Amino acid sequence: GIRIDALLTPFLLRLVMDPNARATPEDLHEVDPKLHSNLMMMLTCDKEMIEDAFCQSFCIDTEFLGVRSTFDLCPGGSSIPVTGENVASFVDLYVQHVLYAFSAKALRAFLTG
């Protein structure tokens, strides 16, 4: 056999124990402290200012090898503005997408051995 030394994040360890585990913003801190900080800023911002200050909708824009893609975090996400009333839902969906959805295929392969 081949031995591989790997550092597993707390979220990945929880997935090993419970395949239905949900990621938390704290899990994101382990992977991307800057993104975690930005999302926490959204959660602590004055609820009245969120929509104007962040101009964000329920989608994620990414770039990989020069190709830009947009992923809706929920059906019709690109047309749903993030507001003070739904910012917690946005952060939760964003964290789930970054920590699970982007790498779901690799995570499933790892978890099934």
Side-chain angles (χ1 to χ4, degrees):
I2 298 173
R3 179 176 172 213
I4 298 174
D5 290 325
L7 178 63
L8 302 178
T9 65
F11 174 59
L12 189 54
L13 290 174
R14 277 200 324 280
L15 277 177
V16 168
M17 302 298 285
D18 176 9
N20 297 315
R22 287 187 61 80
T24 67
E26 290 73 29
D27 296 324
L28 183 61
H29 186 267
E30 297 288 327
V31 176
D32 190 336
K34 186 174 181 178
L35 178 57
H36 172 266
S37 176
N38 290 340
L39 291 175
M40 291 303 96
M41 185 185 318
M42 289 182 81
L43 285 174
T44 57
C45 183
D46 181 356
K47 302 289 186 205
E48 310 266 327
M49 297 177 54
I50 287 178
E51 192 169 358
D52 292 332
F54 294 100
C55 300
Q56 178 68 48
S57 60
F58 273 71
C59 62
I60 295 177
D61 294 319
T62 64
E63 184 175 336
F64 183 70
L65 298 175
V67 177
R68 294 191 57 89
S69 301
T70 298
F71 298 93
D72 283 351
L73 297 174
C74 60
S78 59
S79 63
I80 302 171
V82 176
T83 65
E85 290 78 38
N86 64 18
V87 67
S89 177
F90 168 79
V91 169
D92 178 62
L93 290 170
Y94 201 106
V95 168
Q96 301 314 310
H97 198 82
V98 168
L99 291 180
Y100 188 75
F102 274 154
S103 56
K105 186 176 178 182
L107 283 173
R108 278 193 299 274
F110 176 78
L111 294 172
T112 58

